[in-house]
Amino acid sequence: MRFKRMSFSEIRPFVRYVQRIIIRQETYPRFSAVCPYDCRIFYVADGTGVLYIEGEERRMCPGQVVLWRSGVSYRMVSDVESDPLVLLGANFDYTWEMSDLTVPIPPDAMAMFDWEGRWESVEFTDVPRMNRPIQLNNMQFVEDTLQEMLREFKSQKLFCSELLSGMMSGLLVHICRNVSLSESERNVSVAKMERVLDYIHAHYAEPINNETLGKQFGYHPNYLNRQIKLYTSKSMYQYLIHYRIARAIDLLVATDMSISEIAVRVGFRDLCHFSRIFRKKIGCSPGQMRSSGGVMTDLLGETENDTGEN
C-alpha cells in the first residue's frame, strides 16, 4: 500500500476504468461485501436500491452521487426487478503514481483483501470529509460528465487518460465544494450565494460593502460575509477586489482606455488607489501590465489587509 497525505489541491486523478452498470434485483458484486483497490465514484441514473458501506445502510435513488476511497468495503442491492438500478461509475486513483496499472483492478472479498499489496491510500489534510464515504443528492449535472467520460474511455483516443483526468478533477472539485459547505455551514444556500455573486459581477463598479449587500439580500452584514467566505474561500472584500482587478486586466490588454478611466470603470475611487491595490495584487503597475500585453498575470493573490475599503 502506498499511503500519501496531501491537500486536495494536489490531486491529479488517474481514471482506470469507466462503466455503465445495470443491477437488477440482486447484489452487486454477486457475493458479500468487497474492498476495492482503487477509489469508486457512482452516479445513480435510474432505479432505486441500497448501498451497504462500512456497516451503514444508505438508500440510493436517481440524482445521487456516491464516492469512497480504496480499501472501503461495500455492496449494492437493487430494489425491484422491473426497475433496475442503473449506475454510471469510474474507478480511479487520486494521483498518477500507479498509472502503469491500466486495466481494471477487481475488488476482493474482505477476507481476501491484500492490505499490504500495491494500491494507493490517500488522506486529505485540508478536507477531512473527503476521507470518508460521501453521498450527495441532486447532482444530476454529473450524469453528462460521466457519459462523456464513458464515451472517451471506450474510444481510447490520443491523450485519453489526460482528458479523463481533467474531467474527473472537475467532478471531484464539485463534490469537495458540496461537502465543504455541508460540513462548515449546513444552511449555506448555493442558489442564494450564486445570486449574491451574480449581483457583485453586475455591480462591481459601484460602492459595494457588506452593509449594502446585506440590505440588498436581507442578511446581517457579518453573516453574509461569513457565507461568502465559506462559498468562495474569500471575504466579500477580497472577492470584490479580485473581480475588479480581473476586469481591469481585461480592459488594460484589450482596450485603449486610459488607466485613469479604467480605474473608475472598475470601481476604484482614484488612480492612486487603483495603482496601489493593483501592484499589491499583481506585483507590477497597471502600465507594466499593459506593456506586457497581459503575459505577466499570475492572478491573483490574497489581500493581506482585509479592511473592507472600496
Side-chain angles (χ1 to χ4, degrees):
M1 176 179 66
R2 298 185 181 185
F3 181 78
K4 185 177 182 67
R5 289 172 58 86
M6 60 190 290
S7 66
F8 184 79
S9 62
E10 296 178 275
I11 66 168
R12 188 190 172 214
F14 175 73
V15 179
R16 189 166 284 112
Y17 186 51
V18 186
Q19 60 184 322
R20 181 174 183 267
I21 305 172
I22 299 178
I23 306 175
R24 304 195 183 276
Q25 199 167 17
E26 58 191 24
T27 298
Y28 174 85
R30 296 181 183 274
F31 41 92
S32 60
V34 296
C35 282
Y37 290 96
D38 42 18
C39 302
R40 296 288 192 269
I41 182 171
F42 288 105
Y43 171 79
V44 184
D46 199 10
T48 57
V50 179
L51 169 66
Y52 298 92
I53 188 164
E54 288 197 324
E56 296 183 6
E57 179 179 319
R58 304 188 183 193
R59 295 295 308 170
M60 302 180 73
C61 59
Q64 282 185 347
V65 165
V66 290
L67 168 73
W68 59 89
R69 298 186 300 168
S70 53
V72 174
S73 63
Y74 75 96
R75 66 186 177 97
M76 291 180 281
V77 181
S78 60
D79 280 341
V80 184
E81 173 65 26
S82 60
D83 185 21
L85 190 60
V86 181
L87 306 173
L88 294 168
N91 306 358
F92 70 98
D93 294 335
Y94 280 109
T95 75
W96 278 53
E97 291 183 7
M98 296 178 60
S99 59
D100 57 314
L101 298 177
T102 58
V103 297
I105 306 172
D108 269 337
M110 288 283 291
M112 300 175 60
F113 190 79
D114 183 4
W115 294 98
E116 301 300 326
R118 189 175 177 221
W119 54 286
E120 175 190 85
S121 179
V122 164
E123 179 180 324
F124 291 109
T125 57
D126 54 344
V127 192
R129 183 63 185 88
M130 293 292 289
N131 297 327
R132 307 195 303 273
I134 290 168
Q135 184 175 24
L136 296 171
N137 297 321
N138 302 316
M139 298 287 285
Q140 284 81 0
F141 70 90
V142 168
E143 182 169 9
D144 288 342
T145 302
L146 281 171
Q147 290 280 18
E148 180 60 28
M149 289 176 65
L150 180 60
R151 287 190 289 269
E152 181 65 26
F153 181 79
K154 289 180 176 179
S155 74
Q156 291 295 306
K157 296 177 183 177
L158 191 64
F159 300 119
C160 171
S161 294
E162 287 76 11
L163 183 55
L164 288 173
S165 179
M167 289 190 280
M168 178 60 77
S169 290
L171 287 182
L172 293 171
V173 166
H174 282 294
I175 290 171
C176 187
R177 281 179 176 175
N178 272 270
V179 299
S180 296
L181 289 172
S182 297
E183 285 289 294
S184 303
E185 186 75 34
R186 294 194 178 275
N187 61 355
V188 171
S189 167
V190 172
K192 287 181 179 178
M193 286 301 101
E194 285 296 326
R195 288 197 295 271
V196 171
L197 298 188
D198 286 344
Y199 182 87
I200 293 173
H201 299 166
H203 299 273
Y204 67 93
E206 302 171 11
I208 297 178
N209 55 37
N210 290 324
E211 285 71 25
T212 58
L213 277 182
K215 290 179 181 178
Q216 177 70 29
F217 291 94
Y219 291 128
H220 189 281
N222 293 340
Y223 171 82
L224 182 62
N225 192 53
R226 288 197 303 271
Q227 299 297 290
I228 292 174
K229 192 162 187 177
L230 285 169
Y231 195 61
T232 69
S233 80
K234 297 177 176 62
S235 69
M236 193 289 296
Y237 175 71
Q238 290 170 341
Y239 187 87
L240 175 63
I241 291 298
H242 181 106
Y243 195 79
R244 284 175 172 174
I245 294 296
R247 301 290 71 76
I249 290 172
D250 291 341
L251 295 174
L252 284 167
V253 301
T255 75
D256 293 325
M257 293 175 62
S258 71
I259 295 176
S260 295
E261 289 176 311
I262 291 173
V264 174
R265 176 70 66 88
V266 300
F268 290 92
R269 60 176 178 261
D270 55 50
L271 177 59
C272 181
H273 182 218
F274 170 59
S275 297
R276 178 172 61 84
I277 297 296
F278 193 96
R279 183 181 289 276
K280 184 176 182 180
K281 297 286 285 184
I282 303 301
C284 67
S285 70
Q288 289 171 319
M289 174 61 66
R290 169 164 277 173
S291 299
S292 74
V295 298
M296 298 173 69
T297 58
D298 187 11
L299 204 68
L300 282 164
E302 295 295 332
T303 301
E304 295 177 5
N305 181 21
D306 184 10
T307 62
E309 60 179 316
N310 282 206

